[in-house]
């Protein structure tokens, strides 16, 4: 019963109702995720909509692009939306291969000198694949070969994605259609893109809601969901984020939950791919530790997963990091999931990181050289732009 207020909160701020009748499964790493994406594209009969922040022109990117090209060749409607900045992470960009094959590609908020330069910091961080309006994959995973063991070997990076079926796909396809129309002016609608779900199906299965946030009318939604979750927690909050820079109000909520007797565990990477972000994160640890929050550094390869559970009942997963960029500047897509089984899987994933991780302590922080602590504080001042 104590979780129910979160449903009312989501009703009031998300713009989407909580939908029953869904199934969701967790995908770990690129080996599982990219394989599932290619299989979904190959099974498409009517439509494929793919959106990503980064879509690299590398080993796995070429395979996914070819699957999209093959789908179009057999008569499937295909649309691909890539963030304009994320598209430049590899050279030549994958957009050339897709466009030459006739696949419609959109670049979200291209930046150039002039009026559009003001939007340079506002990026689409959403990762989404919807097939025939009835199956979707979403989460935190970009398209990069560094997340596949075949290409990266033992240095393979880790991430988490989710496969969903059911009425929640309407929320997800609606999100893509909105972003596609904003970018290209083309409206996607009708049975080609949206599946029909019968009333009986919508009364069973897992309740899930899509939560869209961004620097527009959706600003603040993400943070409101996190604050609401912390306010109802009674037993245990687990959070895993590669870039953990909570704004003061969220940091205060984490500390308040811990002081109320809730166990709050936060897992961050010991080996971060962004050194400046890692330095800024270090600058905030003292406030968290003093407030009773447990912070753990995950060992091994870099983990890009964004996961949260509350009291082993409620999950919040998707593209959002716990940092000012995700809270204020990026267009993000997350799922609010009410399912004990998924919560248990995520809890086990995070607990495994804790068991094999290194706990941050006040003594350790105090032993850092003064110049290093001072540097971290200066970097932290720029955290909204990192």
């Amino acid at each position: 019963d104590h979780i129910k207020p979160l449903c009312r909160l989501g009703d009031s701020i998300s713009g989407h109702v909580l939908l029953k009748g869904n199934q969701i499964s967790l995908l770990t790493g690129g080996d599982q995720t990219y394989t599932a994406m290619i299989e979904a594209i190959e099974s498409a009969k009517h439509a494929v909509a793919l959106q990503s922040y980064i879509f690299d022109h590398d080993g796995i990117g070429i395979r996914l692009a070819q699957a999209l090209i093959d789908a179009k060749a057999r008569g499937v409607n295909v649309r691909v939306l890539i963030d304009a900045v994320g598209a430049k992470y590899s050279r030549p960009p994958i957009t050339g291969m897709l466009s030459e094959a006739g696949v419609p590609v959109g670049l979200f908020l291209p930046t150039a000198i002039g009026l559009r330069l003001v939007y340079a910091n506002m990026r689409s961080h959403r990762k989404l694949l919807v097939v025939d309006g009835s199956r979707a994959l979403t989460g935190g995973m970009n398209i990069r070969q560094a997340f596949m063991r075949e290409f990266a070997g033992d240095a393979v990076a880790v991430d988490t994605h989710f496969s969903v079926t059911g009425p929640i796909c309407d929320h997800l396809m609606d999100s893509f259609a909105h972003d596609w129309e904003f970018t290209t002016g083309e409206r996607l609608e009708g049975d080609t893109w949206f599946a029909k779900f019968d009333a009986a199906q919508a009364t069973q299965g897992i309740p899930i809601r899509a939560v869209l946030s961004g620097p527009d009318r959706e600003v603040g939604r993400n943070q409101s969901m996190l604050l609401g979750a912390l306010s109802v927690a009674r037993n245990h909050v687990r959070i895993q984020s590669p870039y953990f820079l909570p704004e003061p109000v969220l940091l205060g909520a984490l500390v308040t939950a811990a002081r109320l007797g809730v166990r709050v565990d936060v897992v961050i990477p010991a080996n971060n791919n962004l050194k400046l972000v890692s330095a800024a994160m270090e600058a905030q640890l003292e406030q968290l530790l003093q407030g009773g929050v447990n912070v753990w550094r995950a060992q091994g390869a870099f983990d890009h997963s964004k996961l949260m559970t509350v009291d082993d009942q409620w999950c919040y997963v998707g593209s959002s990091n716990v940092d000012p960029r995700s809270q204020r500047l990026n267009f993000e897509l997350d799922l609010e999931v009410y399912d004990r089984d998924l919560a248990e899987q995520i809890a086990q994933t995070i607990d495994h990181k804790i068991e094999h991780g290194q706990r941050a302590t006040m003594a350790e922080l105090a032993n850092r050289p003064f110049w290093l602590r001072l540097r971290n504080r200066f970097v932290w001042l720029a955290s909204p732009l990192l």
Side-chain angles (χ1 to χ4, degrees):
D1 287 346
H2 74 285
I3 295 290
K4 287 181 179 178
L6 277 177
C7 182
R8 293 195 292 271
L9 175 66
D11 288 342
S12 66
I13 68 172
S14 72
H16 284 134
V17 297
L18 189 68
L19 294 176
K20 297 180 181 180
N22 305 289
Q23 298 299 319
I24 183 167
S25 57
L26 184 150
L27 301 170
T28 302
D31 290 353
Q32 289 187 13
T33 301
Y34 300 139
T35 299
M37 291 175 71
I38 291 173
E39 289 176 350
I41 294 168
E42 289 176 344
S43 71
K45 297 179 180 179
H46 308 293
V48 172
L50 187 147
Q51 181 174 10
S52 186
Y53 172 58
I54 299 172
F55 190 157
D56 275 348
H57 190 195
D58 58 14
I60 189 58
I62 291 171
R63 286 184 197 170
L64 272 162
Q66 190 60 54
L68 294 165
I69 292 168
D70 292 344
K72 182 183 183 301
R74 65 175 187 269
V76 176
N77 293 280
V78 179
R79 301 291 186 275
V80 177
L81 182 59
I82 309 172
D83 183 79
V85 171
K88 299 176 182 177
Y89 274 58
S90 63
R91 293 290 182 181
I94 200 71
T95 52
M97 176 180 175
L98 292 167
S99 297
E100 288 174 7
V103 175
V105 179
L107 291 178
F108 187 89
L109 279 184
T111 57
I113 296 175
L115 294 177
R116 297 184 71 86
L117 188 61
V118 69
Y119 302 114
N121 254 326
M122 300 178 184
R123 311 315 323 157
S124 174
H125 200 234
R126 295 167 181 162
K127 294 95 174 176
L128 176 62
L129 172 67
V130 184
V131 174
D132 293 338
S134 60
R135 179 184 179 186
L137 290 94
T138 188
M141 188 156 250
N142 292 298
I143 301 172
R144 314 196 81 177
Q145 67 180 23
F147 292 90
M148 282 200 77
R149 184 168 294 277
E150 174 186 347
F151 299 104
D154 292 339
V156 62
V158 182
D159 208 335
T160 309
H161 223 61
F162 298 86
S163 175
V164 296
T165 57
I168 186 61
C169 293
D170 277 351
H171 285 185
L172 299 175
M173 187 60 220
D174 185 65
S175 169
F176 181 91
H178 177 273
D179 289 352
W180 181 261
E181 184 176 7
F182 171 78
T183 302
T184 69
E186 180 189 14
R187 179 170 295 182
L188 305 179
E189 55 190 359
D191 295 346
T192 299
W193 299 97
F194 293 86
K196 294 181 179 179
F197 299 94
D198 57 55
Q201 182 179 359
T203 61
Q204 303 172 2
I206 299 168
I208 306 179
R209 184 200 328 264
V211 180
L212 280 68
S213 56
D216 52 6
R217 66 180 184 276
E218 300 159 352
V219 70
R221 286 182 181 177
N222 202 338
Q223 187 174 88
S224 294
M225 293 302 301
L226 298 181
L227 291 172
L230 291 169
S231 72
V232 303
R234 291 185 180 177
N235 303 310
H236 199 168
V237 173
R238 295 174 175 89
I239 298 174
Q240 181 175 343
S241 179
Y243 315 124
F244 188 78
L245 287 166
E247 294 181 306
V249 64
L250 187 54
L251 191 150
L254 288 161
V255 168
T256 299
R259 287 177 171 165
L260 285 169
V262 178
R263 174 167 178 165
V264 181
D265 286 310
V266 175
V267 175
I268 59 177
N271 304 302
N272 205 305
N273 68 328
L274 299 179
K275 301 305 180 185
L276 289 178
V277 173
S278 184
M281 288 163 59
E282 291 285 323
Q284 283 192 320
L285 293 189
E286 183 177 339
Q287 298 177 70
L288 292 164
L289 298 181
Q290 285 179 339
V293 176
N294 304 309
V295 180
W296 309 85
R297 295 188 181 90
Q299 304 300 303
F302 173 63
D303 195 329
H304 193 246
S305 303
K306 307 101 163 44
L307 307 168
M308 179 177 183
T309 66
V310 173
D311 295 346
D312 298 323
Q313 299 178 56
W314 181 89
C315 313
Y316 198 69
V317 299
S319 67
S320 295
N321 299 302
V322 185
D323 66 357
R325 177 166 289 282
S326 280
Q327 302 297 317
R328 301 290 175 184
L329 293 173
N330 287 344
F331 293 87
E332 304 281 3
L333 172 61
D334 297 282
L335 296 180
E336 179 192 13
V337 186
Y338 294 77
D339 182 53
R340 291 178 185 271
D341 289 341
L342 182 65
E344 182 179 346
Q345 289 184 64
I346 293 175
Q348 289 175 353
T349 298
I350 295 177
D351 288 349
H352 180 79
K353 294 287 183 180
I354 291 173
E355 182 181 351
H356 295 88
Q358 178 186 18
R359 185 170 189 164
T361 66
M362 291 296 295
E364 167 214 334
L365 296 178
N367 287 332
R368 296 286 176 89
F370 173 77
W371 70 265
L372 184 60
R373 285 180 284 154
L374 183 64
R375 182 208 67 178
N376 292 347
R377 293 297 178 107
F378 273 113
V379 176
W380 174 78
L381 291 175
S383 59
L385 298 177
L386 293 178

